[in-house]
Each structure stands twice: as structure tokens, then as C-alpha cells.
Amino acid sequence: MKKAVQVFTLAVFLLSLSIDTNAQGCSDAGFCTIGSLSQQQKNSTSKQKISIFLPVGIGDDNVTIFTPAIQYDNQLGKSLGIQAKLTGNYASGVLGSVAGAGDLFLSATYLFPSKKKTWDIAASLGTKLPLNSSNLKSGGNSLPMPYQSSLGTVDLIVGFSASNTKWQFAAGLQQPLSGANGNNFLPILWSNPAAGNYAPTNKFYRKADVLVRGFYKHSFNSKLKLHGGLLGIYHVADDEYTNIFKNKTTLQGSKGLTLNASVVGWYAVNKKMSIGLTVAAPLLVRDTRPDGLTRSFVVSPEISWSF
């Protein structure tokens, strides 16, 4: 256990060196933890697993964001696995403090048969279902997206990955299907001048994201494992909102690339339980991030039970 703590501490320190204190990024709409796109530890001996995640991050204008989640994985056979994930959210900043249900993620992953077994090729298909319309309020006013517990859209998620004992590479797409969400935030409607620090997102219309990920896997021993790598998320077009005159308006600069570095470590407490820690930070960001997914850094403890 002492060695595990030392590795986790080193990972946090190395990532902290890469953070520009003015940088903001991450921009993950949920699909980087789904099925074959995930950087999570795989368990080859147990068919089912329940995991609890407790990520904490700092968003726009120093909004503190806590996004707990519970996830269920079931390996139905050698080739097919299913996954369900339920999230919640608590956000606190100068405009208020709110909590709410987040999203339900459902996915299935198929592992293609391979005779050589040098690389495992997998494909995932899933969806994100919102548990609210993304219109939490404070003092009767709609809050900006960094405070919202859900993006408020139904999304399609597809992904592919190739992995061996040392490396994993993945690519995916998250496409919103339901159009504009139910958010009504316009800074002009707030008396608090701090509202002007956020992009307007009334009837927010979010565009698709494309993901590319690569990471290296290292095992210190049978109990301690460490993954580290880069995650690129490209927002394919500028987002849109409806202004106070009811005209659809483009949010210039919201299209573009976010590049994140992450380190994930796990320690097997016993055959059934493991604990983990993820640390992530942005290296490159989009000019404008109205979706509220901005994080200057994220730290996410987790605990898993296999059965």
C-alpha cells in the first residue's frame, strides 16, 4: 500500500507541473469513460463489477464541481459486455450552489475474435440519456452551463479501440440527437455582474465531439497498475444559442481541440476489491467553452467490487 501511495503522489506532482494556472479544458461530454473508449482497468476473471467514482474539479470562474457516479459492468460472454452508468452533480460558485441528477449512460461493447491475440479490437455503441433539461436555477434565474448537472440532450456514442498488454488506442464520436436543451441562461437577465463571465446558453444547441485517445499501461506487480496518456477531443463546429431577440446566434470559438493529459493508478486490495485514482489536466483548449465542461484539473478517486 505504501508503494501505491508513492506512485499516486508522483502522478499528481507530474501532472501539476504541466498545468498552466490560466488553462481550462477537459471538455469531456461523458464518452471518454464508456466501454472501449475507457481508460478504466479491465478485469479478466470476474464477469460483473460495480464501481463508484467521486470526481472533483474546478470549472469556469472557480466553480467547484463534484460529479459522483455509480457504474455497473457485466461481461455476458467472451465477446459481449454491457455497461450502465448513473451520474449526479453538485456545483458551487459565486452565482449559487445547486445539486441535481445527471445522466444515464448505457452501452454495449463487442470484442472481435482474433486468432493471434496480440491486439484486442473492440467496438462500443451507447447513448446518454439526460435526467433533467439542464435548467437548474438560483434565485429564480437559470444558471449557466458550468452549474448544470446534465447537458440536457440525448446523445449517440460510438467508439473503437485497439489494445495489447502495453498500449491502448481509441477513437469515438458523441453526437447530440435531440437538438437544443432546456437551458435559459442569458447574462443580461442577472443583476449579479459575475453572470457576465459566462457564455449565454439560452436554448443551447451543442455540436458533436470526436475523441482520440492513446495511453501506456504499466504493471508494477500483480496489485499495482498505472496507465498514463493523452486524450484529444475535437468539437466539430461552433455551438449556438437563442439570444434575447429570439434569434439563433453562433458562439464563435467554441469549435476546436482540447488536449488533456491523464494518469490513472489502481491498487488491488484483494481479489474482489480495488481502489483507484485518476488525475487529469488540460494542455490545449478551445477559445470558448459554453458547454460548462471546462475543468482546470480533475481528481477522481474510485472503488470497484468484482463478483
Side-chain angles (χ1 to χ4, degrees):
M1 179 64 78
K2 182 178 179 180
K3 190 172 184 179
V5 173
Q6 292 174 340
V7 171
F8 290 165
T9 303
L10 178 61
V12 173
F13 174 72
L14 290 176
L15 269 179
S16 68
L17 293 180
S18 71
I19 301 174
D20 179 343
T21 56
N22 294 315
Q24 301 286 316
C26 288
S27 295
D28 170 38
F31 63 161
C32 81
T33 60
I34 296 300
S36 61
L37 299 173
S38 174
Q39 197 174 342
Q40 292 172 246
Q41 184 183 26
K42 302 298 187 295
N43 192 320
S44 59
T45 59
S46 300
K47 291 185 177 181
Q48 299 182 76
K49 182 171 70 171
I50 292 178
S51 305
I52 294 175
F53 304 92
L54 302 169
V56 177
I58 302 298
D60 277 329
D61 205 26
N62 291 317
V63 177
T64 300
I65 302 169
F66 174 51
T67 313
I70 183 168
Q71 179 174 297
Y72 171 72
D73 293 89
N74 190 335
Q75 192 65 34
L76 300 177
K78 292 183 178 180
S79 298
L80 183 63
I82 59 173
Q83 183 184 88
K85 183 177 182 180
L86 182 66
T87 69
N89 194 82
Y90 169 79
S92 181
V94 294
L95 297 185
S97 298
V98 289
D103 299 287
L104 175 63
F105 292 86
L106 301 172
S107 65
T109 298
Y110 180 77
L111 179 65
F112 292 94
S114 174
K115 293 182 179 180
K116 294 184 179 180
K117 294 295 182 181
T118 53
W119 286 86
D120 290 328
I121 309 298
S124 294
L125 178 65
T127 185
K128 178 185 74 67
L129 304 174
L131 300 180
N132 65 63
S133 63
S134 193
N135 200 32
L136 298 176
K137 299 180 179 182
S138 178
N141 291 323
S142 296
L143 286 160
M145 291 301 295
Y147 289 84
Q148 301 298 329
S149 60
S150 169
L151 290 169
T153 57
V154 176
D155 293 2
L156 172 70
I157 300 170
V158 294
F160 298 89
S161 71
S163 61
N164 61 17
T165 56
K166 290 295 184 181
W167 293 94
Q168 179 169 328
F169 302 97
L173 168 72
Q174 183 163 345
Q175 174 66 57
L177 301 176
S178 55
N181 69 13
N183 188 265
N184 296 138
F185 173 73
L186 290 169
I188 196 172
L189 301 179
W190 281 74
S191 59
N192 188 335
N197 297 334
Y198 302 92
T201 48
N202 179 48
K203 297 181 180 178
F204 181 55
Y205 192 93
R206 183 174 58 89
K207 302 301 175 67
D209 290 295
V210 174
L211 172 153
V212 177
R213 157 174 270 160
F215 63 85
Y216 178 76
K217 301 183 283 187
H218 180 72
S219 297
F220 292 91
N221 50 49
S222 61
K223 288 183 173 292
L224 182 61
K225 302 180 187 300
L226 193 70
H227 294 178
L230 297 176
L231 169 66
I233 300 175
Y234 186 76
H235 203 60
V236 302
D238 286 326
D239 299 320
E240 298 173 329
Y241 77 101
T242 299
N243 65 24
I244 197 168
F245 302 108
K246 299 183 179 181
N247 297 319
K248 185 174 286 189
T249 306
T250 298
L251 289 157
Q252 299 291 340
S254 51
K255 172 184 176 180
L257 176 67
T258 299
L259 181 65
N260 302 298
S262 65
V263 176
V264 187
W266 294 275
Y267 180 79
V269 178
N270 52 45
K271 291 183 179 180
K272 298 296 183 181
M273 185 176 73
S274 65
I275 57 174
L277 180 68
T278 300
V279 182
L283 305 176
L284 180 67
V285 301
R286 293 180 283 151
D287 292 337
T288 304
R289 297 162 303 279
D291 47 30
L293 301 175
T294 294
R295 305 288 185 272
S296 56
F297 70 92
V298 174
V299 176
S300 179
E302 65 180 80
I303 183 168
S304 298
W305 296 269
S306 300
F307 54 98

